[in-house]
């Protein structure tokens, strides 16, 4: 069965593996709000665990908004989890009441057991040397969805981020931002690992190595393709999950093909993640809209992933679910 909650919408999510247990953290908001567009400013981070990726035990909420005046006192948004120094660490997005949620910043929390979390405050915000900041022309300051890992080669932690470049056509400034740190607190932003031009946003990045190359999964809607991209022959305005490819972990990352990994006009399967479990790769997403255009808000079951003869990724989704 999918992870579907009767009283809450579920959307963006990320995994942590602890032995045989697969933990999933996800954004959640009460269905009693009525309008799903209101969920973003009521988001908390939920938590569930499974061993078979289909039957989920819901656990206590992991993170909620901070106290008044905190960088995350309005809502807590998407992040990632890693283990370092004998503890688990969650890097996540926070938005504040002070800016009506229009400025996104990244914070950190830690846990000894993936269940009890302690916040450590803000660690990073967008650097204007490379990234767009909030002004009268922008709807928000994009700096969210941190994907964090430890790199043995550089002996540093690294973070890929949903960001927007400070140059280029307004509708195509979406990039994968990059930051690094020698520890878990001293983060410094660097230039993006992808070039602007294709999309307004590249949301919820995930770094994986599969099919002999490095991939950054991302998602976007059908309405966030740039005019330049749509002018290219064969491009379809679809929404869902796609990926960038690079031979090097730190880029540059480029599109391998135009058609999405999993996409359609409604972006019915959004913010997809890849997970390697017991030697096999699976694709997960959250369900955005049903056939009647109504918001769904729950996670899918795993879908098999295969690598094509040219190294391209393919998801074998059930036709009934697409």
């Amino acid at each position: 069965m999918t992870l579907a909650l009767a009283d809450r919408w579920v959307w963006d999510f990320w995994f942590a593996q602890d032995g045989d247990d697969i933990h999933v953290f996800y954004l959640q908001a009460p269905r009693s709000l009525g309008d799903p567009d209101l969920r973003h400013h009521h988001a908390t981070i939920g938590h569930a665990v499974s061993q078979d990726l289909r039957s989920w035990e819901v656990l206590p909420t992991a993170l909620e908004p901070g106290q008044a005046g905190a960088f995350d006192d309005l809502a807590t948004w998407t992040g990632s989890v890693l283990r370092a120094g004998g503890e688990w660490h969650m890097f996540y997005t926070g938005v504040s009441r002070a800016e009506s949620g229009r400025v996104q910043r990244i914070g950190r929390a830690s846990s000894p057991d993936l269940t009890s979390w302690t916040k450590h405050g803000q660690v990073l915000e967008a650097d204007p040397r490379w990234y767009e900041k909030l002004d009268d022309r922008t709807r928000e300051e994009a700096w969210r969805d941190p994907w964090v890992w430890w790199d043995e080669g550089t002996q540093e932690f690294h973070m890929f981020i949903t960001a927007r470049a400070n140059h280029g056509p307004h509708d195509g400034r979406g990039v994968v931002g990059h930051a690094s740190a020698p520890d878990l607190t001293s983060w410094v932003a660097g230039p993006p690992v992808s070039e602007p031009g294709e999309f307004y946003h590249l949301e919820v990045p995930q770094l994986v190595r599969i099919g002999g190359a490095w991939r950054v999964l991302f998602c976007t809607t059908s309405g966030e393709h740039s005019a330049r991209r749509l002018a290219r022959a064969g491009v379809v305005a679809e929404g869902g999950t796609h990926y960038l490819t690079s031979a090097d972990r730190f880029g540059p990352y480029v599109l391998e093909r135009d058609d999405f990994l999993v996409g359609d006009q409604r972006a019915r399967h959004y913010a997809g993640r890849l997970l390697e479990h017991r030697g096999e790769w699976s694709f997960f997403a959250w369900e955005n809209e049903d056939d009647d255009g109504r918001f769904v808000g729950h996670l899918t079951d795993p879908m098999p992933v295969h690598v094509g003869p040219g190294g391209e990724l393919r998801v074998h989704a059930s036709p009934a679910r697409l």
Side-chain angles (χ1 to χ4, degrees), residues 52-68:
D52 63 6
L53 305 180
R54 288 175 173 81
S55 301
W56 295 94
E57 177 189 357
V58 177
L59 300 175
T61 294
L63 288 183
E64 297 180 329
Q67 296 181 347

Side-chain angles (χ1 to χ4, degrees), residues 17 28 33 59 76 113 148 167 206 212 222 232 269 277 296:
Q17 300 189 49
Q28 60 179 8
L33 290 170
L59 300 175
T76 52
D113 57 6
V148 182
H167 65 280
Q206 179 195 13
S222 60
R232 195 160 63 238
H269 285 170
H277 183 241
V296 178

Side-chain angles (χ1 to χ4, degrees), residues 8 25-26 28 45-48 57-63 114-115 117:
R8 282 165 282 174
F25 298 90
Y26 47 87
Q28 60 179 8
I45 297 176
H47 182 198
E57 177 189 357
V58 177
L59 300 175
T61 294
L63 288 183
L114 289 169
T115 301
W117 292 91

Side-chain angles (χ1 to χ4, degrees), residues 54-314:
R54 288 175 173 81
S55 301
W56 295 94
E57 177 189 357
V58 177
L59 300 175
T61 294
L63 288 183
E64 297 180 329
Q67 296 181 347
F71 85 102
D72 61 351
D73 67 357
L74 178 59
T76 52
W77 289 354
T78 310
S80 60
V81 170
L82 78 161
R83 186 165 178 81
E87 283 194 304
W88 297 93
H89 301 270
M90 184 186 299
F91 289 84
Y92 68 98
T93 310
V95 291
S96 73
R97 297 181 182 276
E99 298 109 355
S100 301
R102 295 181 67 202
V103 176
Q104 300 155 13
R105 300 179 176 91
I106 294 169
R108 180 177 70 92
S110 63
S111 172
D113 57 6
L114 289 169
T115 301
S116 176
W117 292 91
T118 300
K119 290 184 178 181
H120 301 288
Q122 175 185 330
V123 299
L124 192 63
E125 61 183 73
D127 190 322
R129 287 179 292 175
W130 297 287
Y131 302 103
E132 182 183 83
K133 301 288 282 186
L134 183 68
D135 61 27
D136 293 339
R137 300 168 299 168
T138 59
R139 70 191 192 202
E140 63 185 1
E141 185 174 308
W143 194 251
R144 64 181 182 273
D145 312 335
W147 181 266
V148 182
W149 76 96
W150 169 257
D151 179 67
E152 287 290 340
T154 60
Q155 289 292 292
E156 287 185 310
F157 293 95
H158 292 267
M159 181 187 297
F160 283 174
I161 306 148
T162 294
R164 280 175 52 84
N166 61 7
H167 65 280
H170 186 74
D171 64 355
R173 289 189 173 189
V175 292
V176 178
H178 180 214
S180 60
D183 51 40
L184 294 164
T185 59
S186 306
W187 290 92
V188 176
V193 297
S194 68
E195 290 292 326
E198 295 286 315
F199 304 101
Y200 188 92
H201 279 150
L202 287 78
E203 297 191 284
V204 194
Q206 179 195 13
L207 175 67
V208 295
R209 184 166 178 82
I210 180 175
W214 292 100
R215 323 284 185 163
V216 174
L217 269 70
F218 69 91
C219 58
T220 195
T221 68
S222 60
E224 295 193 330
H225 295 239
S226 70
R228 187 184 85 177
R229 172 177 168 79
L230 292 175
R232 195 160 63 238
V235 169
V236 175
E238 58 185 335
T241 301
H242 202 16
Y243 63 91
L244 306 174
T245 297
S246 175
D248 186 273
R249 183 181 300 208
F250 300 107
Y253 282 89
V254 298
L255 285 175
E256 187 173 82
R257 65 178 196 264
D258 277 329
D259 58 308
F260 274 36
L261 177 63
V262 176
D264 57 50
Q265 189 174 12
R266 290 180 175 173
R268 283 179 283 189
H269 285 170
Y270 206 67
R273 301 286 198 185
L274 292 179
L275 178 68
E276 188 177 20
H277 183 241
R278 297 174 182 169
E280 295 184 353
W281 285 95
S282 295
F283 175 86
F284 296 78
W286 60 269
E287 299 213 23
N288 183 15
E289 291 186 356
D290 63 17
D291 290 337
D292 296 319
R294 293 172 298 194
F295 188 78
V296 178
H298 62 234
L299 303 192
T300 68
D301 281 335
M303 306 175 196
V305 177
H306 297 284
V307 179
E312 71 279 4
L313 305 185
R314 300 291 179 188

